Amino acid sequence: MNEIRKIAPVAIWDNFQKLCDTPRPSNKEEAVLKLLEKMADDKGLAHFRDSGGNLVVSVPATAGFEDRKMVILQSHVDMVTQANSGSTHNFDTDPIRMVMDGEWITADNTTLGADNGIGAAAMMGFMTEDGLEHGPLELLFTVDEERGLTGAMNLEPGRLKGEILLNLDTEDEYELCVGCAGGGDLVASYDYSEEAVGAGQVARDIALTGLKGGHSGIDIILGLGNANKLMARFLRSAIRDFDARIVKINAGTARNAIPRESFATIVLPEGKVSDFDAALNAFASDIKDEIGAIEPKFAIAATNADVPAKAMSAKDSKAFNNACVGAPNGVQAMSTSVNGVVETSINLAIVKLGEGKAKVTLSARSSINSARDSLREVATAVFENIGASVAWGDAYPGWKPDANSEVVSLMKAVHKDMFGKEPEIRVIHAGLECGVLGSKYPHWDMVSFGPTIKRAHSPDECVHVPSVARFWDYLLAALKAIPAKG
């Protein structure tokens, strides 16, 4: 691990190590914010936190660059906290343990936090490294991005002075992002009746594991398995064919992560266990035929469990599970203006059920606000039909591309000079903070870019080390090319 912090550019990797050593789950960023404030104080840099909890650090221009337009560098400091089953990692207290794997760095059975830790570490480089050439900078460290962009949504207008925003939170080098989808969540709450578990009943724990998971926006187009949908699909046959009743379900941990695992407990008549097990094996075979090429580690198994005193009623087991089966999930529409880009999607993200209460979280995305909310209405109707109450979270806006953007033109020119080709211009199906930030500061000229990061929001997350070096060099060259104030 100590060797990783010495990888070039040290300005990034040493600072990323500091971030990995500092727990930073969403809505629990105080430790990392204090770390950044101490770093700023050690260098005599002015800083403040706004009412939304975001941290802004001012970095003066280096000699000869005082007349340049002020640039805001922006990243979020929180990370998605996902661990493989069996891991004992505590994200509130334990450091992230990095692992070197050839040209890639990953973590030991957890998310790495390269999303958006590499961008934040690059910004920290301007606080720790002397001799970097740039105009005046504002470093905007936002909070609670992964739970719903709430730091960006609560950013105070009028406090930042910059004109250009460089967001460092996209995940493929040689690309510039100039637009993104907006999104909004909904949570369905369902109070259900329980009935006694009588004699002659047995309990089975069902574990559905091995799915890849991933980012519910960027990766939704890949057709990955959704653990909640697959579990609901199997439970439908178990309830219908074997008189099963649900005892509990625990699946999914983050609204913006495709769920990788689902764990359920059911009860059923003892005389139907052998047929149930045969059906489970047949279901496993079917799913492997359907998605085995993309989900080769998919597995589902049932084991004996202690028989509980109560279980969900047969009526409510059927109604609730049917709602999960019928809930929309995955890509719903492709863009008609940008080829190959998802326009509208939804993720059946979290299902929690037990002791008379069930809660389901879904997250919808679209580059069209009306399509986003129409999809939320569909999901709402599905759960209201069984008597659930549904609450919508605050929606966040998308980011409309600007064909006349000065900073995009500049970044394209710098990219061609450095790499011999222009970058690919992209609009992504994910909730970048640029959409929200632009609503607070409409005059900002914005672009987003970053190094190559794969499988963010899952324990398979990894970052490509050579791309980080190129990303850093590109960022430095771009800042040197920022024009003078008009």
Side-chain angles (χ1 to χ4, degrees):
M1 187 181 298
N2 289 332
E3 295 305 311
I4 289 177
R5 71 191 317 153
K6 298 177 183 178
I7 296 172
V10 174
I12 288 185
W13 290 111
D14 183 56
N15 285 313
F16 186 59
Q17 180 70 68
K18 294 173 185 174
L19 294 176
C20 287
D21 289 342
T22 308
R24 51 191 178 96
S26 298
N27 203 36
K28 296 180 179 179
E29 302 96 342
E30 185 61 26
V32 73
L33 293 174
K34 286 183 176 178
L35 167 70
L36 295 170
E37 288 172 332
K38 183 179 186 308
M39 291 173 63
D41 289 339
D42 289 346
K43 285 289 189 177
L45 301 175
H47 58 84
F48 67 88
R49 290 197 213 182
D50 72 357
S51 59
N54 306 293
L55 174 65
V56 179
V57 178
S58 297
V59 180
T62 48
F65 291 81
E66 296 89 348
D67 64 339
R68 305 298 176 91
K69 290 183 177 181
M70 183 177 289
V71 173
I72 306 107
L73 301 181
Q74 185 266 320
S75 296
H76 63 85
V77 295
D78 61 317
M79 64 174 284
V80 168
T81 53
Q82 292 263 302
N84 285 321
S85 59
S87 170
T88 60
H89 187 89
N90 185 335
F91 285 99
D92 290 345
T93 58
D94 297 344
I96 299 296
R97 294 181 293 275
M98 288 190 281
V99 178
M100 193 80 185
D101 184 9
E103 291 189 342
W104 297 84
I105 289 175
T106 186
D108 181 14
N109 279 312
T110 69
T111 38
L112 175 63
D115 170 21
N116 184 210
I118 295 296
M123 291 164 58
M124 293 161 70
F126 292 94
M127 300 164 63
T128 59
E129 300 300 307
D130 297 324
L132 302 179
E133 296 180 310
H134 55 79
L137 301 176
E138 291 177 315
L139 310 180
L140 172 57
F141 297 95
T142 51
V143 298
D144 205 24
E145 188 267 357
E146 299 290 8
R147 290 199 318 157
L149 295 91
T150 54
M153 291 177 73
N154 292 310
L155 182 70
E156 286 185 51
R159 296 201 66 178
L160 283 93
K161 307 305 179 186
E163 302 176 59
I164 294 169
L165 180 119
L166 303 183
N167 169 277
L168 309 180
D169 191 23
T170 50
E171 297 170 358
D172 287 290
E173 67 170 332
Y174 307 128
E175 294 183 352
L176 295 179
C177 182
V178 300
C180 69
D185 302 339
L186 65 148
V187 177
S189 300
Y190 183 57
D191 293 336
Y192 60 85
S193 60
E194 292 186 300
E195 296 174 349
V197 177
Q201 297 278 304
V202 297
R204 303 285 272 167
D205 285 336
I206 306 170
L208 192 157
T209 60
L211 299 175
K212 292 178 180 177
H215 192 291
S216 66
I218 294 170
D219 295 328
I220 202 76
I221 197 172
L222 300 178
L224 298 166
N226 179 299
N228 284 321
K229 294 299 286 187
L230 291 173
M231 180 63 83
R233 178 174 161 182
F234 175 70
L235 289 180
R236 177 168 166 77
S237 64
I239 293 166
R240 180 191 63 217
D241 299 335
F242 308 111
D243 299 323
R245 290 188 288 148
I246 302 170
V247 178
K248 60 184 177 182
I249 298 176
N250 183 16
T253 59
R255 45 165 284 283
N256 53 3
I258 300 169
R260 301 175 296 111
E261 300 174 329
S262 176
F263 302 95
T265 301
I266 63 167
V267 293
L268 74 161
E270 185 175 8
K272 298 189 177 185
V273 170
S274 61
D275 289 340
F276 168 86
D277 287 345
L280 184 71
N281 291 334
F283 176 79
S285 179
D286 288 343
I287 298 304
K288 288 175 182 177
D289 284 343
E290 291 177 20
I291 62 172
I294 193 170
E295 295 283 14
K297 296 182 180 180
F298 164 80
I300 185 169
T303 55
N304 292 328
D306 293 336
V307 178
K310 295 180 179 181
M312 197 176 195
S313 71
K315 178 182 177 181
D316 286 350
S317 290
K318 180 179 179 179
F320 176 77
N321 193 68
N322 280 353
C324 292
V325 171
N329 182 73
V331 175
Q332 305 293 304
M334 298 296 291
S335 174
T336 57
S337 57
V338 183
N339 289 336
V341 173
V342 177
E343 176 196 276
T344 306
S345 75
I346 191 165
N347 179 41
L348 182 62
I350 304 171
V351 177
K352 305 287 185 184
L353 180 151
E355 299 182 348
K357 294 186 178 296
K359 184 174 287 187
V360 179
T361 301
L362 301 97
S363 181
R365 301 176 189 268
S366 183
S367 54
I368 302 174
N369 290 344
S370 60
R372 173 201 65 207
D373 290 342
S374 177
L375 185 52
R376 288 204 286 179
E377 290 286 9
V378 171
T380 296
V382 168
F383 284 97
E384 284 184 344
N385 276 343
I386 66 167
S389 61
V390 180
W392 286 20
D394 292 336
Y396 53 89
W399 169 26
K400 185 178 180 180
D402 179 3
N404 299 311
S405 166
E406 181 183 35
V407 71
V408 171
S409 296
L410 179 149
M411 296 294 289
K412 288 168 65 176
V414 171
H415 195 282
K416 189 170 184 179
D417 286 344
M418 289 191 67
F419 305 117
K421 60 182 180 181
E422 288 194 352
E424 181 179 346
I425 304 300
R426 289 191 62 204
V427 175
I428 67 168
H429 189 65
L432 282 177
E433 291 166 287
C434 292
V436 179
L437 298 173
S439 70
K440 302 283 185 175
Y441 290 83
H443 67 284
W444 280 355
D445 196 0
M446 301 185 294
V447 69
S448 180
F449 62 103
T452 296
I453 299 169
K454 299 295 185 185
R455 296 180 290 281
H457 298 188
S458 85
D460 294 326
E461 179 186 7
C462 56
V463 59
H464 189 231
V465 174
S467 76
V468 172
R470 290 188 287 267
F471 157 72
W472 176 246
D473 291 341
Y474 182 39
L475 173 59
L476 295 179
L479 290 175
K480 287 179 66 174
I482 294 295
K485 292 176 282 190

